[in-house]
Amino acid sequence: MIAPDTTIGKREPVWGRDGHGTRVVVDPGEVVGARPARVVSEPATDGDAATGPGRWVLAVDPGLWPLAAGVELAEPAGSGRSWTVITADLRPSGFDPAVSYIRVEASLTAG
């Protein structure tokens, strides 16, 4: 079990079109669906060779599933950090659903 120490939600971007008709994010949007989460490792302190430089590992409540590469996650309060998802893997528990989580590898985008 990975006990949460923060909350993290998805940032829902607002899409539009630029002058050439290309789809672009015009507003990063609000953080929605804040759920319990934990920063498992950060490259500045852990230097985890398995995840490579610059990758953070987060454990996020499965209520945010599904998560795809490129989705932005953010802390709605506290430090205000945000991350861009690189990979996300749902880790369900066969023993007790209360200990299921999403293992997220992400890059820090702000904070």
Side-chain angles (χ1 to χ4, degrees):
M1 181 171 152
I2 299 175
D5 62 0
T6 189
T7 57
I8 292 177
K10 290 182 186 179
R11 187 176 299 278
E12 299 291 341
V14 176
W15 293 89
R17 304 258 178 208
D18 67 10
H20 302 286
T22 304
R23 191 171 181 231
V24 296
V25 174
V26 294
D27 184 338
E30 296 295 318
V31 177
V32 297
R35 302 281 186 158
R38 180 173 192 86
V39 174
V40 177
S41 68
E42 61 181 273
T45 59
D46 298 327
D48 188 347
T51 59
R55 287 199 180 183
W56 291 60
V57 177
L58 312 172
V60 181
D61 185 282
L64 287 178
W65 188 255
L67 288 176
V71 169
E72 186 176 338
L73 300 176
E75 289 178 307
S79 71
R81 296 175 291 193
S82 65
W83 300 267
T84 301
V85 173
I86 298 168
T87 64
D89 182 30
L90 182 61
R91 302 280 175 96
S93 170
F95 172 71
D96 184 351
V99 295
S100 298
Y101 68 100
I102 306 168
R103 182 184 189 278
V104 177
E105 288 186 21
S107 59
L108 188 66
T109 53

